[in-house]
Amino acid sequence: MRIHWQNERLGVVEGDITRFDGDAIVNAANATLLGGGGVDGAIHRAAGPALREACRQLRQRAWPEGLPVGQVALTPGFALPADWVIHTVGPVYARGEDRAGLLADCYRRALAMAAERDFRRLAFPAISTGVYGYPAEAAARIVADVMREALPRLPRLEVTLVFYAAADAETFLQHAEIDGVR
Ligand code: AR6
């Protein structure tokens, strides 16, 4: 993974999140939790069929109606290098409605879950900015705000933001104010 920007708390890299070798990666899933395209499809392929089974059981036991937008759910990582997967469902972008709070919830709740479990290294993809159509520039500002607010209270956690393409990492850095994040 190629590093575009980094300090002690936060990294902005380009690469495939399924290769991240830390405590957990976040999955930009959908409410069914049963897989899909994009990063979700890649994570399921790399983790193997046991992940789908774990997600199916999660649905049955905890989320029979599906995982609501902005919520998080945890499974093992199975064949992934990361030990755990924190599944979340980002909002579908809508012009006429401000869903920034829901996108922020995905990041905040994933950070809280990681802290609860005492995870030290966590990676996020750019939730909602693919199929769900959230503009990368707006998402960048939301993510930066959450990191600025949350990371000072989670001193043991190191976060990596993984972008699939170099251009996406650069767009993020142009629109996010992360210099002050510690
Ligand atoms: N590693 C890192 N980032 C990736 C990878 C990867 N392997 N693959 C794609 N991305 P998307 P969403 C980037 O569409 O918008 C799925 O079908 C991608 O370039 O995966 O939240 C789910 O099942 C983009 O920047 O997620 C849902 O139905 C970012 O990940 C729906 O898509 C997010 O794109 C969720 O849509």
Side-chain angles (χ1 to χ4, degrees):
M1 288 204 234
R2 190 176 147 230
I3 298 166
H4 285 247
W5 184 94
Q6 189 178 38
N7 72 13
E8 314 78 56
R9 307 303 315 287
L10 189 63
V12 175
V13 310
E14 160 199 344
D16 178 352
I17 199 168
T18 67
R19 312 285 288 261
F20 182 80
D21 189 1
D23 297 293
I25 61 174
V26 175
N27 182 17
N30 60 59
T32 72
L33 290 179
L34 297 178
V39 72
D40 192 9
I43 289 171
H44 275 267
R45 276 193 300 280
L51 179 60
R52 194 168 191 280
E53 180 53 26
C55 287
R56 202 186 56 75
Q57 287 180 24
L58 247 181
R59 277 292 305 280
Q60 234 170 29
R61 291 189 194 136
W63 302 101
E65 319 258 281
L67 188 66
V69 176
Q71 287 289 351
V72 292
L74 188 70
T75 67
F78 299 104
L80 288 165
D83 296 332
W84 299 92
V85 180
I86 299 176
H87 305 264
T88 190
V89 182
V92 175
Y93 182 70
R95 272 176 184 281
E97 197 184 305
D98 185 2
R99 297 183 176 167
L102 289 168
L103 186 56
D105 282 348
C106 293
Y107 284 87
R108 272 195 213 108
R109 291 201 171 111
L111 289 170
M113 183 173 259
E116 232 168 69
R117 296 253 165 179
D118 205 21
F119 294 163
R120 306 295 165 88
R121 295 188 61 228
L122 174 68
F124 284 94
I127 300 166
S128 284
T129 65
V131 174
Y132 282 180
Y134 218 99
E137 301 77 11
R141 287 187 283 269
I142 294 162
V143 173
D145 285 349
V146 171
M147 295 303 155
R148 215 176 305 105
E149 168 201 295
L151 287 190
R153 284 183 274 117
L154 307 171
R156 286 144 76 95
L157 191 63
E158 193 187 297
V159 172
T160 304
L161 304 175
V162 181
F163 295 89
Y164 207 37
D168 296 341
E170 289 307 318
T171 301
F172 176 84
L173 287 169
Q174 271 165 27
H175 295 273
E177 284 165 35
I178 49 173
D179 290 333
V181 177
R182 286 288 182 273

Short mmCIF file of all heavy atoms in Angstrom, two decimals, residues 72-106:
data_model
loop_
_atom_site.label_atom_id
_atom_site.label_comp_id
_atom_site.label_asym_id
_atom_site.label_seq_id
_atom_site.Cartn_x
_atom_site.Cartn_y
_atom_site.Cartn_z
N VAL A 72 -23.02 -0.58 13.13
CA VAL A 72 -21.87 -1.45 12.90
C VAL A 72 -22.11 -2.84 13.47
O VAL A 72 -22.88 -2.99 14.43
CB VAL A 72 -20.58 -0.85 13.53
CG1 VAL A 72 -20.16 0.41 12.81
CG2 VAL A 72 -20.75 -0.60 15.03
N ALA A 73 -21.47 -3.83 12.88
CA ALA A 73 -21.56 -5.22 13.37
C ALA A 73 -20.21 -5.89 13.13
O ALA A 73 -19.55 -5.61 12.13
CB ALA A 73 -22.66 -5.96 12.62
N LEU A 74 -19.82 -6.75 14.05
CA LEU A 74 -18.47 -7.33 14.03
C LEU A 74 -18.48 -8.81 13.66
O LEU A 74 -19.31 -9.57 14.15
CB LEU A 74 -17.86 -7.17 15.43
CG LEU A 74 -16.38 -7.52 15.59
CD1 LEU A 74 -15.50 -6.50 14.91
CD2 LEU A 74 -16.02 -7.62 17.08
N THR A 75 -17.55 -9.20 12.79
CA THR A 75 -17.30 -10.63 12.53
C THR A 75 -15.79 -10.85 12.53
O THR A 75 -15.02 -9.90 12.37
CB THR A 75 -17.82 -11.09 11.14
OG1 THR A 75 -17.03 -10.45 10.13
CG2 THR A 75 -19.29 -10.83 10.94
N PRO A 76 -15.37 -12.11 12.64
CA PRO A 76 -13.94 -12.39 12.43
C PRO A 76 -13.56 -12.09 10.98
O PRO A 76 -14.43 -11.97 10.11
CB PRO A 76 -13.84 -13.90 12.70
CG PRO A 76 -15.06 -14.26 13.49
CD PRO A 76 -16.13 -13.32 13.03
N GLY A 77 -12.26 -12.03 10.71
CA GLY A 77 -11.78 -11.78 9.35
C GLY A 77 -11.53 -13.05 8.55
O GLY A 77 -11.24 -12.98 7.36
N PHE A 78 -11.59 -14.19 9.22
CA PHE A 78 -11.37 -15.49 8.55
C PHE A 78 -10.07 -15.46 7.74
O PHE A 78 -9.02 -15.19 8.32
CB PHE A 78 -12.61 -15.90 7.76
CG PHE A 78 -13.80 -16.06 8.68
CD1 PHE A 78 -14.80 -15.09 8.73
CD2 PHE A 78 -13.90 -17.16 9.53
CE1 PHE A 78 -15.88 -15.22 9.61
CE2 PHE A 78 -14.99 -17.29 10.41
CZ PHE A 78 -15.96 -16.32 10.43
N ALA A 79 -10.12 -15.68 6.42
CA ALA A 79 -8.87 -15.78 5.65
C ALA A 79 -8.18 -14.44 5.39
O ALA A 79 -7.12 -14.39 4.76
CB ALA A 79 -9.14 -16.49 4.34
N LEU A 80 -8.74 -13.34 5.86
CA LEU A 80 -8.10 -12.03 5.68
C LEU A 80 -6.88 -11.90 6.59
O LEU A 80 -6.86 -12.51 7.67
CB LEU A 80 -9.08 -10.91 6.06
CG LEU A 80 -10.24 -10.62 5.14
CD1 LEU A 80 -11.26 -9.76 5.87
CD2 LEU A 80 -9.77 -9.93 3.87
N PRO A 81 -5.92 -11.08 6.21
CA PRO A 81 -4.82 -10.80 7.16
C PRO A 81 -5.33 -10.08 8.41
O PRO A 81 -4.78 -10.27 9.50
CB PRO A 81 -3.87 -9.90 6.37
CG PRO A 81 -4.35 -9.87 4.96
CD PRO A 81 -5.72 -10.43 4.90
N ALA A 82 -6.35 -9.25 8.28
CA ALA A 82 -6.92 -8.56 9.45
C ALA A 82 -7.71 -9.57 10.29
O ALA A 82 -8.36 -10.46 9.75
CB ALA A 82 -7.83 -7.43 9.00
N ASP A 83 -7.65 -9.41 11.61
CA ASP A 83 -8.32 -10.37 12.50
C ASP A 83 -9.85 -10.22 12.46
O ASP A 83 -10.56 -11.20 12.65
CB ASP A 83 -7.85 -10.15 13.95
CG ASP A 83 -6.37 -10.45 14.10
OD1 ASP A 83 -5.87 -11.29 13.32
OD2 ASP A 83 -5.72 -9.83 14.95
N TRP A 84 -10.32 -9.00 12.30
CA TRP A 84 -11.76 -8.73 12.42
C TRP A 84 -12.25 -7.86 11.27
O TRP A 84 -11.47 -7.12 10.68
CB TRP A 84 -12.06 -8.00 13.73
CG TRP A 84 -11.68 -8.78 14.94
CD1 TRP A 84 -10.48 -8.73 15.61
CD2 TRP A 84 -12.48 -9.74 15.63
NE1 TRP A 84 -10.50 -9.61 16.67
CE2 TRP A 84 -11.71 -10.24 16.71
CE3 TRP A 84 -13.78 -10.23 15.45
CZ2 TRP A 84 -12.20 -11.20 17.60
CZ3 TRP A 84 -14.26 -11.19 16.33
CH2 TRP A 84 -13.48 -11.67 17.40
N VAL A 85 -13.56 -7.94 11.02
CA VAL A 85 -14.20 -7.03 10.08
C VAL A 85 -15.33 -6.31 10.81
O VAL A 85 -16.19 -6.96 11.43
CB VAL A 85 -14.78 -7.76 8.85
CG1 VAL A 85 -15.44 -6.78 7.89
CG2 VAL A 85 -13.68 -8.54 8.11
N ILE A 86 -15.31 -5.00 10.75
CA ILE A 86 -16.42 -4.20 11.28
C ILE A 86 -17.27 -3.80 10.07
O ILE A 86 -16.83 -3.03 9.23
CB ILE A 86 -15.92 -2.94 12.02
CG1 ILE A 86 -15.04 -3.34 13.21
CG2 ILE A 86 -17.10 -2.09 12.49
CD1 ILE A 86 -14.40 -2.16 13.96
N HIS A 87 -18.46 -4.38 9.98
CA HIS A 87 -19.35 -4.10 8.87
C HIS A 87 -20.19 -2.87 9.21
O HIS A 87 -20.71 -2.77 10.32
CB HIS A 87 -20.28 -5.28 8.61
CG HIS A 87 -19.53 -6.57 8.39
ND1 HIS A 87 -19.22 -7.04 7.14
CD2 HIS A 87 -19.00 -7.45 9.28
CE1 HIS A 87 -18.55 -8.17 7.26
NE2 HIS A 87 -18.40 -8.45 8.55
N THR A 88 -20.33 -2.00 8.25
CA THR A 88 -21.21 -0.84 8.45
C THR A 88 -21.95 -0.58 7.14
O THR A 88 -21.55 -1.07 6.10
CB THR A 88 -20.42 0.39 8.92
OG1 THR A 88 -21.33 1.42 9.32
CG2 THR A 88 -19.49 0.93 7.85
N VAL A 89 -23.03 0.16 7.22
CA VAL A 89 -23.81 0.50 6.03
C VAL A 89 -23.83 2.02 5.91
O VAL A 89 -24.38 2.71 6.77
CB VAL A 89 -25.25 -0.05 6.12
CG1 VAL A 89 -26.02 0.27 4.84
CG2 VAL A 89 -25.24 -1.55 6.38
N GLY A 90 -23.20 2.51 4.86
CA GLY A 90 -23.19 3.95 4.62
C GLY A 90 -24.51 4.39 4.01
O GLY A 90 -25.28 3.57 3.49
N PRO A 91 -24.78 5.70 4.05
CA PRO A 91 -25.98 6.22 3.41
C PRO A 91 -25.81 6.28 1.89
O PRO A 91 -24.71 6.52 1.40
CB PRO A 91 -26.09 7.64 3.99
CG PRO A 91 -24.68 8.02 4.32
CD PRO A 91 -23.98 6.74 4.71
N VAL A 92 -26.90 6.09 1.17
CA VAL A 92 -26.93 6.36 -0.26
C VAL A 92 -27.02 7.88 -0.38
O VAL A 92 -27.82 8.51 0.32
CB VAL A 92 -28.16 5.69 -0.92
CG1 VAL A 92 -28.28 6.07 -2.39
CG2 VAL A 92 -28.09 4.17 -0.77
N TYR A 93 -26.18 8.47 -1.23
CA TYR A 93 -26.21 9.93 -1.37
C TYR A 93 -27.53 10.39 -1.97
O TYR A 93 -28.06 9.75 -2.89
CB TYR A 93 -25.06 10.39 -2.27
CG TYR A 93 -25.02 11.88 -2.41
CD1 TYR A 93 -24.66 12.68 -1.33
CD2 TYR A 93 -25.34 12.50 -3.61
CE1 TYR A 93 -24.63 14.06 -1.44
CE2 TYR A 93 -25.31 13.88 -3.74
CZ TYR A 93 -24.96 14.65 -2.64
OH TYR A 93 -24.93 16.01 -2.76
N ALA A 94 -28.07 11.47 -1.42
CA ALA A 94 -29.30 12.04 -1.96
C ALA A 94 -29.14 13.55 -2.01
O ALA A 94 -28.77 14.18 -1.02
CB ALA A 94 -30.47 11.68 -1.05
N ARG A 95 -29.39 14.13 -3.16
CA ARG A 95 -29.23 15.58 -3.34
C ARG A 95 -30.10 16.40 -2.40
O ARG A 95 -29.68 17.40 -1.85
CB ARG A 95 -29.58 15.98 -4.77
CG ARG A 95 -28.44 15.89 -5.70
CD ARG A 95 -28.89 16.22 -7.12
NE ARG A 95 -27.78 16.03 -8.04
CZ ARG A 95 -26.80 16.92 -8.20
NH1 ARG A 95 -26.82 18.06 -7.53
NH2 ARG A 95 -25.83 16.68 -9.03
N GLY A 96 -31.33 15.96 -2.23
CA GLY A 96 -32.28 16.76 -1.49
C GLY A 96 -32.25 16.55 0.03
O GLY A 96 -33.06 17.14 0.75
N GLU A 97 -31.32 15.73 0.51
CA GLU A 97 -31.34 15.40 1.94
C GLU A 97 -29.91 15.32 2.46
O GLU A 97 -29.07 14.70 1.82
CB GLU A 97 -32.03 14.04 2.09
CG GLU A 97 -32.49 13.74 3.49
CD GLU A 97 -33.08 12.33 3.58
OE1 GLU A 97 -34.01 12.01 2.82
OE2 GLU A 97 -32.57 11.55 4.41
N ASP A 98 -29.68 15.92 3.62
CA ASP A 98 -28.34 15.89 4.19
C ASP A 98 -28.14 14.61 5.00
O ASP A 98 -28.74 14.45 6.06
CB ASP A 98 -28.14 17.13 5.08
CG ASP A 98 -26.70 17.20 5.58
OD1 ASP A 98 -25.89 16.32 5.21
OD2 ASP A 98 -26.39 18.13 6.35
N ARG A 99 -27.32 13.72 4.47
CA ARG A 99 -27.08 12.46 5.16
C ARG A 99 -25.67 12.39 5.76
O ARG A 99 -25.14 11.31 6.03
CB ARG A 99 -27.33 11.29 4.20
CG ARG A 99 -28.79 11.24 3.76
CD ARG A 99 -29.12 10.07 2.88
NE ARG A 99 -30.57 10.09 2.60
CZ ARG A 99 -31.17 9.36 1.66
NH1 ARG A 99 -30.45 8.52 0.93
NH2 ARG A 99 -32.47 9.43 1.47
N ALA A 100 -25.07 13.56 5.95
CA ALA A 100 -23.71 13.63 6.50
C ALA A 100 -23.63 12.97 7.87
O ALA A 100 -22.65 12.30 8.20
CB ALA A 100 -23.26 15.08 6.59
N GLY A 101 -24.70 13.18 8.67
CA GLY A 101 -24.70 12.63 10.03
C GLY A 101 -24.65 11.11 10.02
O GLY A 101 -24.00 10.49 10.88
N LEU A 102 -25.31 10.52 9.04
CA LEU A 102 -25.31 9.05 8.93
C LEU A 102 -23.94 8.53 8.51
O LEU A 102 -23.47 7.50 9.01
CB LEU A 102 -26.38 8.59 7.93
CG LEU A 102 -27.82 8.76 8.40
CD1 LEU A 102 -28.79 8.55 7.24
CD2 LEU A 102 -28.14 7.80 9.54
N LEU A 103 -23.30 9.26 7.59
CA LEU A 103 -21.95 8.84 7.19
C LEU A 103 -20.98 8.98 8.37
O LEU A 103 -20.17 8.10 8.63
CB LEU A 103 -21.47 9.65 5.98
CG LEU A 103 -20.14 9.20 5.37
CD1 LEU A 103 -20.16 7.73 4.96
CD2 LEU A 103 -19.78 10.08 4.17
N ALA A 104 -21.12 10.07 9.11
CA ALA A 104 -20.28 10.28 10.30
C ALA A 104 -20.52 9.16 11.32
O ALA A 104 -19.58 8.67 11.95
CB ALA A 104 -20.55 11.64 10.92
N ASP A 105 -21.78 8.73 11.47
CA ASP A 105 -22.11 7.65 12.41
C ASP A 105 -21.33 6.37 12.09
O ASP A 105 -20.88 5.67 12.99
CB ASP A 105 -23.61 7.30 12.36
CG ASP A 105 -24.46 8.30 13.11
OD1 ASP A 105 -23.90 9.13 13.87
OD2 ASP A 105 -25.70 8.25 12.94
N CYS A 106 -21.22 6.04 10.80
CA CYS A 106 -20.47 4.83 10.39
C CYS A 106 -19.06 4.89 10.96
O CYS A 106 -18.56 3.92 11.53
CB CYS A 106 -20.38 4.73 8.88
SG CYS A 106 -21.95 4.45 8.05
#
